[in-house]
Amino acid sequence: MYRETSKLLLYSNLGEDSILLRLSEIFFDWEQQKCEKSALIRRIYVEIKRILDLATTYGFDTNLWHNYLTFVLITNENSFSLTCERVGASEGSVNHFAKADFRIFKNLFDFDFGPIEQDLGIDCFSVLSNYQAIPKKAQMYYRNVSEKVRALSAAIEQAKDENEIFDLVTAHYRDCGVGMFGLNRAFRIRPAENGGVEFCAINNIDSVVLTATRVCG
């Protein structure tokens, strides 16, 4: 896995604490035999729990690994994704680098977790890849985000190569935007610790129906 993530260019700004980079480090230590198996298992379970927590918040289902990777793609703000926001793909040299990154994500979508599961005696990645989420009330998760992530994830699963992924992802940027502002429809503003303000997505958006009221004078 680390061989793939180390080659990311446009989508390399994942943050040192990102699940994907943490897992890549774990796979490196596993291949290099730098860590005891029990310690590796513990580190893997920490990241698995983070994926499960993310899945609960955003209503992921069926294949949580694919949903997570899709979530990364559509929330990552970079020089390519931002230029595609609300306009879609345009001709330019940056597309070459974008497709190279999408080829890496395609490989991550198809990643074989079998060897590490067999070696460590675990099955958590297999469970994530064939997941059945517990039904939840709409107020308990970000339904709008869930629908967008799962729809794009399913489409990427069927993509033959990076060119098709390019078309799918840039279409999402065109239609929905980039980052959390593109995924959510409503936000509340609250004071931030640094003295400013921060926008917090609202997951419970009730439908509002207006009815005419007859006024008798």
Side-chain angles (χ1 to χ4, degrees):
M1 183 179 294
Y2 64 90
R3 294 185 181 90
E4 299 292 347
T5 57
S6 65
K7 293 182 289 186
L8 287 171
L9 195 158
L10 295 170
Y11 292 83
S12 61
N13 58 329
L14 300 172
E16 293 300 320
D17 194 43
S18 76
I19 297 171
L20 184 56
L21 292 187
R22 291 292 189 189
L23 285 174
S24 297
E25 293 171 357
I26 293 170
F27 272 78
F28 177 81
D29 290 346
W30 170 63
E31 289 192 12
Q32 301 297 320
Q33 299 182 342
K34 288 188 173 183
C35 193
E36 294 289 333
K37 290 185 177 181
S38 58
L40 287 171
I41 293 172
R42 177 56 190 159
R43 290 167 61 190
I44 288 173
Y45 283 174
V46 168
E47 304 309 318
I48 294 296
K49 182 181 182 300
R50 293 177 66 192
I51 293 178
L52 291 172
D53 290 344
L54 198 65
T56 299
T57 300
Y58 295 109
F60 297 168
D61 198 7
T62 307
N63 191 318
L64 303 192
W65 175 242
H66 288 176
N67 287 175
Y68 165 69
L69 292 176
T70 303
F71 184 79
V72 171
L73 282 173
I74 62 183
T75 58
N76 188 275
E77 298 182 358
N78 58 63
S79 55
F80 170 74
S81 62
L82 290 174
T83 59
C84 295
E85 189 168 27
R86 297 303 179 183
V87 295
S90 302
E91 292 296 328
S93 298
V94 71
N95 293 346
H96 170 80
F97 298 116
K99 290 181 180 180
D101 278 6
F102 292 149
R103 187 182 310 120
I104 292 170
F105 272 91
K106 171 65 174 171
N107 293 337
L108 292 172
F109 257 72
D110 299 335
F111 195 84
D112 182 10
F113 292 102
I116 195 170
E117 286 191 325
Q118 183 176 2
D119 184 52
L120 299 181
I122 58 178
D123 63 358
C124 52
F125 293 108
S126 295
V127 175
L128 288 189
S129 299
N130 297 276
Y131 199 79
Q132 182 178 356
I134 297 174
K136 296 179 286 291
K137 295 181 180 179
Q139 294 86 352
M140 296 179 62
Y141 69 100
Y142 294 89
R143 183 173 58 183
N144 193 50
V145 178
S146 173
E147 292 171 350
K148 292 175 181 177
V149 170
R150 292 171 61 186
L152 183 57
S153 177
I156 294 176
E157 288 174 1
Q158 302 302 316
K160 296 178 181 178
D161 54 29
E162 65 274 12
N163 294 307
E164 293 190 2
I165 296 177
F166 178 91
D167 292 339
L168 291 167
V169 175
T170 54
H172 172 86
Y173 294 154
R174 179 195 65 216
D175 298 336
C176 303
V178 181
M180 294 307 296
F181 280 97
L183 285 174
N184 293 278
R185 293 184 295 173
F187 296 83
R188 63 169 57 92
I189 300 176
R190 70 181 183 187
E193 294 181 357
N194 60 5
V197 297
E198 60 182 1
F199 293 86
C200 303
I202 299 174
N203 64 328
N204 182 12
I205 304 177
D206 295 326
S207 299
V208 177
V209 178
L210 301 179
T211 58
T213 302
R214 186 175 181 178
V215 179
C216 299

